[in-house]
Amino acid sequence: MHNSTSSIALPPLLLPVLAVVTAVCSLAIGTSYAKQLFPLIGAQGTSALRVGMSALVLLVFWRPWRWPISRIDRYAVLRYGLALGCMNLMFYMALQTIPFGIAVAIEFIGPLGVALYYSQRKLDYVWIALVVLGLALLLPFKQDASALDPTGVAWAFGAAAAWATYIIFGKRAGHLHAGQSVSLGLLAASLIVVPVGVAHTGLDLLHPQLLLFGLAVAIVSSAIPISLEMYALKRLPRETFGVMLSIEPVVAALAGMLFLHELLAPSQWLAIGCIMAASIGSIASAGRKSRPPKPH
């Protein structure tokens, strides 16, 4: 009997690609709603809720104690998690005064800088030039209606540096099970973020409604994206996965416009486009030079 389902089979990359797009959108929506907590508990309290609740959710889901971990690996995960905590806290501090999409675009300088540093190809000067152009359009060199807050920009650059450190430390823990490293990493991140949030907000952070909202933000902005990205990363070439993640700044800008009413100037949209193009170009050209082996 002829199997008719074979003629309508989905392309093998369709589901992983949809998973990445859904992960990016989920992260943007979750962060947009988290920013609405800033008037109540500040960026510090909001970051503490997001990281602390994310750690609890993923610890329960993955139960990382099921896998053995050496003393060296525990130290590697601790450093990875502390970098993750700093990245989250500084990113939320940036969101207090600059638009969501611009904060994400500046934060992308971190992983892009790591990629360019280790690559050292002549074509990389093109991507560096695009980044410089994007930053020249974004940074508050002039005072006008679209000028950015210098403090917010500084926090965003701090988040970018922390993201770069997170990538370097994350590679040293990359041989561990992804669920174990991510859940324990978030637990380590909470060691930084939660005390800062409690010191800033106090016992108000334990209000039942805030905890429930924090749980929802944690699921939408951490648990769902991380799970979907892990699914996609196993099924997509690394350069394809990286290029797709490069849509984050524009998705964040659109989410900020829809949910937070953050309208960007044309020059700011152009700046985001330059940084995205640099990210996509760097990853794509690296992929052409050295493609990863196909999984067995």
Side-chain angles (χ1 to χ4, degrees):
M1 184 175 178
H2 177 67
N3 186 359
S4 61
T5 59
S6 59
S7 61
I8 58 172
L10 294 175
L13 296 184
L14 179 59
L15 289 180
V17 165
L18 288 176
V20 176
V21 174
T22 304
V24 171
C25 293
S26 181
L27 176 61
I29 292 171
T31 305
S32 297
Y33 279 103
K35 188 172 180 177
Q36 297 178 29
L37 287 177
F38 284 12
L40 296 176
I41 55 176
Q44 301 93 324
T46 305
S47 182
L49 271 183
R50 187 238 174 155
V51 172
M53 299 302 282
S54 296
L56 287 176
V57 169
L58 292 178
L59 284 171
V60 171
F61 182 80
W62 286 111
R63 292 171 291 163
W65 51 86
R66 294 179 294 163
W67 298 283
I69 184 169
S70 67
R71 183 176 180 181
I72 294 177
D73 287 340
R74 285 198 297 268
Y75 181 59
V77 169
L78 176 64
R79 291 185 298 174
Y80 155 77
L82 294 179
L84 175 62
C86 291
M87 179 181 73
N88 275 273
L89 180 59
M90 288 191 282
F91 179 70
Y92 271 56
M93 294 297 292
L95 287 183
Q96 287 188 119
T97 55
I98 65 175
F100 183 19
I102 292 176
V104 173
I106 295 175
E107 191 187 31
F108 251 74
I109 304 299
L112 181 56
V114 172
L116 294 176
Y117 177 80
Y118 285 107
S119 176
Q120 297 179 343
R121 288 166 290 127
K122 290 183 179 179
L123 186 59
D124 291 334
Y125 290 108
V126 175
W127 318 133
I128 292 171
L130 279 173
V131 171
V132 171
L133 175 59
L135 291 179
L137 292 168
L138 281 181
L139 297 184
F141 297 126
K142 57 186 185 301
Q143 293 299 321
D144 59 24
S146 63
L148 299 177
D149 173 60
T151 302
V153 170
W155 280 119
F157 272 107
W163 194 353
T165 307
Y166 158 83
I167 290 172
I168 294 169
F169 288 155
K171 287 183 178 180
R172 297 175 185 175
H175 61 283
L176 299 174
H177 186 280
Q180 182 185 35
S181 59
V182 169
S183 56
L184 292 179
L186 275 167
L187 178 62
S190 65
L191 297 177
I192 287 181
V193 180
V194 172
V196 171
V198 171
H200 178 266
T201 310
L203 295 179
D204 290 342
L205 202 61
L206 299 179
H207 192 282
Q209 286 186 327
L210 285 177
L211 291 176
L212 187 61
F213 196 95
L215 177 61
V217 167
I219 292 173
V220 175
S221 65
S222 289
I224 291 176
I226 288 173
S227 300
L228 290 174
E229 287 176 4
M230 287 173 61
Y231 167 82
L233 190 55
K234 292 179 180 179
R235 294 162 175 84
L236 290 174
R238 284 187 178 272
E239 68 271 16
T240 303
F241 180 80
V243 165
M244 293 204 61
L245 282 187
S246 298
I247 68 173
E248 280 190 21
V250 72
V251 172
L254 290 172
M257 184 171 62
L258 291 174
F259 300 112
L260 302 171
H261 310 294
E262 296 175 343
L263 301 179
L264 303 184
S267 61
Q268 293 172 333
W269 279 107
L270 180 59
I272 290 174
C274 289
I275 294 172
M276 284 178 57
S279 178
I280 292 171
S282 173
I283 295 166
S285 59
R288 286 196 299 269
K289 182 178 179 182
S290 175
R291 291 187 179 275
K294 292 182 179 180
H296 297 291

